[in-house]
């Protein structure tokens, strides 16, 4: 079996490495740090696995299916769960899924009036995709009001912000729960916890994610989320005629009143994928291809091992990452027992050395019998790696 993973980040590197246990794998376009990277997807793959949200929202899965390919990833209709927050929120309401109170706006006056009725924290989101940056969470009403103006005028995020969602601010720990769907049946994967802020202690601006660990969350959470969130979502999608074959990524907040859905993503989380997918002990190729075929079998099984991943980011991330710095110590990190490195924003210079080529550059992942052991290994790996201005959080999974 030949599998083509589409994408170029740490998520795709981790997916490819796990799929390679039982298939021939290429990654397109990949990056110079991911083995078997090819500039364009081959015509002859038996399965195409689409990693990132942008091609899904733009209908790549539909185009490949129209060509007769077998694809893991929802079509454009299903991908609206991530591509339009307003569409997603309306679907949640129809499905009865617990989520923050909200409204959608295209005009400033009613948006500001709605804000005035809420208590802090205030949450403002672009309706459309904004590379994970379209969310403002603030305790300041002035900042929230300013954000509304910047979004609606197009100044902040172009057209993605001309429709926005304002929602009630929720408080509690976050959890990412994943499930694989074949259009009808859906099976759970292990949950993970991400760390979204750039600095230790959850300070500083939001990022795409600075590190994650799995397993995470309270006992019984996965069954609860399957019963009250994901199954009703699949049923509602089906009622709308949407045949969703791919992964659901439920971003939850565990509030005092129980779990509530912050968002759905239509792809694996990055960096959560790096700590969830390698823990699968059943065959990942079989799982994803049977979902693509509409014939899911048994739920996947997971190793009791814990995994922790720490993101190494370039100087200036998330605002203005500096690129082109030479990465040292990658081999030494991978030589440590229980440590793997996945490559995200990685390039290659004229001398053939790997260099930084994006904001989030590497994920250093440790595996161990406990989260504490996995964390120790990940941190030992990070200690081997360096480039000028490298940033990472030293408290990933420390509270687990
Ligand atoms: P989203 O892209 O919707 O997941 O939002 C990104 C981040 O913003 C989440 O991971 C949360 O940390 C935060 N966030 C989103 N919605 C809310 C909310 N209603 N209340 C509090 N924080 C939120
Ligand atoms: N780590 C969060 C995300 O992938 O959106």
């Amino acid at each position: 079996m030949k599998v083509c993973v589409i994408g170029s980040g740490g998520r795709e590197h981790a997916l490819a490495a796990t799929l390679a246990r039982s298939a021939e794998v290429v990654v397109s376009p990949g990056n110079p740090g991911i083995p078997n990277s090819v500039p364009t997807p081959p015509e002859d793959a038996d399965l195409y696995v689409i990693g990132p949200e942008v091609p899904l929202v733009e209908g790549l899965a539909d185009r490949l299916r129209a060509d007769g390919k077998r694809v893991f990833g929802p079509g454009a209709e299903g991908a609206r769960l991530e591509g339009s927050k307003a569409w997603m929120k309306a679907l949640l309401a129809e499905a009865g899924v617990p989520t923050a109170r909200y409204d959608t706006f295209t005009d400033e006056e009613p948006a500001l009036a709605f804000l005035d009725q809420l208590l802090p924290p205030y949450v403002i989101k672009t309706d459309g995709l904004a590379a994970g940056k379209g969310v403002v969470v603030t305790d300041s009403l002035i900042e929230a009001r300013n954000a509304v103006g910047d979004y609606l005028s197009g100044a902040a995020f172009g057209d993605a912000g001309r429709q926005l969602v304002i929602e009630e601010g929720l408080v509690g720990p976050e959890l990412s729960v994943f499930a694989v769907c074949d259009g009808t049946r859906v099976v759970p994967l292990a949950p993970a916890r991400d760390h979204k802020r750039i600095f230790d202690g959850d300070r500083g601006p939001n990022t795409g994610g600075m590190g994650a660990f799995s397993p995470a969350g309270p006992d019984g959470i996965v069954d609860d989320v399957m019963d009250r969130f994901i199954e009703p979502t699949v049923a509602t999608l089906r009622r709308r005629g949407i045949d969703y074959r791919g992964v659901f990524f439920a971003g939850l907040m565990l509030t005092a009143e129980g779990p509530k859905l912050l968002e759905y993503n239509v792809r694996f989380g990055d960096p959560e994928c790096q700590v969830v997918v390698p823990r699968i002990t059943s065959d990942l190729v079989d799982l994803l291809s049977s979902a693509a075929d509409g014939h899911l079998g048994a739920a996947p099984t997971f190793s009791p091992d814990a995994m922790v991943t720490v993101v190494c980011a370039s100087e200036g991330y998330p605002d203005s990452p500096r690129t082109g710095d030479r990465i040292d110590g990658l081999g030494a990190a991978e030589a440590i027992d229980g440590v793997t490195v996945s490559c995200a924003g990685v390039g290659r210079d004229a001398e053939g050395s790997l260099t930084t080529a994006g904001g989030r550059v590497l994920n250093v992942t440790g595996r161990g019998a406990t989260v504490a052991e996995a964390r120790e290994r990940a941190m030992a790996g990070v200690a081997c790696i360096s480039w000028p201005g490298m940033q990472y959080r030293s408290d990933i999974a420390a509270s687990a």
Side-chain angles (χ1 to χ4, degrees):
M1 162 98 85
K2 180 167 176 180
V3 182
C4 175
V5 177
I6 293 175
S8 64
R11 166 182 52 211
E12 287 75 26
H13 193 168
L15 279 169
T18 308
L19 290 163
R21 293 173 188 166
S22 56
E24 179 194 340
V25 182
V26 297
V27 183
S28 180
N31 70 56
I34 303 180
N36 303 320
S37 289
V38 294
T40 49
E43 279 295 324
D44 63 344
D46 304 295
L47 173 68
Y48 295 80
V49 177
I50 303 174
E53 63 277 17
V54 170
L56 290 166
V57 168
E58 290 175 350
L60 178 60
D62 301 307
R63 292 196 296 281
L64 289 169
R65 286 190 181 108
D67 260 2
K69 314 280 196 225
R70 189 199 243 170
V71 184
F72 182 79
E77 270 293 298
R80 293 182 79 188
L81 273 184
E82 181 164 0
S84 167
K85 300 252 188 215
W87 191 87
M88 181 262 294
K89 287 292 241 180
L91 188 131
L92 294 184
E94 189 182 330
V97 171
T99 187
R101 196 159 71 86
Y102 80 106
D103 211 339
T104 23
F105 301 94
T106 49
D107 294 311
E108 186 154 345
E109 206 176 305
L112 295 179
F114 185 70
L115 260 188
D116 287 338
Q117 296 170 26
L118 298 175
L119 296 171
Y122 305 99
V123 180
I124 296 133
K125 302 181 174 183
T126 58
D127 176 58
L129 293 180
K133 296 190 184 114
V135 181
V136 167
V137 182
T138 175
D139 287 328
S140 152
L141 183 59
I142 296 173
E143 214 177 289
R145 292 177 67 98
N146 289 340
V148 166
D150 291 347
Y151 278 43
L152 290 177
S153 68
F157 295 103
D159 287 344
R162 288 186 205 275
Q163 169 154 257
L164 58 75
V165 171
I166 296 178
E167 54 183 59
E168 164 198 19
L170 302 176
V171 181
E174 290 184 44
L175 193 68
S176 305
V177 173
F178 300 92
V180 167
C181 187
D182 69 0
T184 311
R185 270 200 74 210
V186 61
V187 294
L189 306 182
R193 178 160 293 149
D194 190 8
H195 297 64
K196 286 254 165 80
R197 304 290 181 133
I198 181 85
F199 299 130
D200 280 15
D202 292 329
R203 289 176 304 108
N206 257 318
T207 69
M210 291 299 290
F213 63 94
S214 176
D219 286 346
I221 186 74
V222 171
D223 290 343
D224 184 33
V225 170
M226 292 301 288
D227 290 349
R228 293 196 302 132
F229 293 66
I230 295 182
E231 294 280 7
T233 299
V234 175
T236 306
L237 288 168
R238 284 188 63 79
R239 259 202 312 280
R240 295 187 178 193
I242 297 172
D243 184 12
Y244 190 104
R245 301 185 185 191
V247 66
F248 291 103
F249 162 177
L252 303 167
M253 196 160 263
L254 309 180
T255 74
E257 293 122 54
K260 293 197 181 179
L261 193 88
L262 294 178
E263 62 168 353
Y264 271 128
N265 296 309
V266 299
R267 41 142 186 115
F268 287 101
D270 189 345
E272 290 97 321
C273 181
Q274 289 84 314
V275 293
V276 170
V277 161
R279 293 184 56 232
I280 296 177
T281 46
S282 47
D283 185 20
L284 181 65
V285 174
D286 183 54
L287 177 72
L288 303 190
S289 50
S290 61
D293 286 340
H295 297 298
L296 265 181
T301 51
F302 280 82
S303 161
D305 285 355
M307 296 189 82
V308 172
T309 193
V310 177
V311 171
C312 299
S314 51
E315 183 171 304
Y317 178 74
D319 293 333
S320 47
R322 189 181 74 201
T323 59
D325 290 305
R326 196 165 134 189
I327 301 168
D328 285 317
L330 215 153
E334 288 196 296
I336 301 173
D337 194 34
V339 174
T340 50
V341 178
S342 35
C343 294
V346 170
R348 198 186 287 285
D349 66 15
E351 282 101 70
S353 303
L354 295 181
T355 57
T356 63
R360 294 190 294 172
V361 179
L362 301 174
N363 314 116
V364 183
T365 307
R367 183 190 270 267
T370 61
V371 171
E373 187 179 57
R375 176 182 141 69
E376 235 170 72
R377 290 192 172 145
M379 293 312 296
V382 170
C384 298
I385 294 174
S386 65
W387 64 80
M390 177 175 112
Q391 308 188 69
Y392 63 92
R393 278 182 61 163
S394 65
D395 65 346
I396 302 300
S399 64

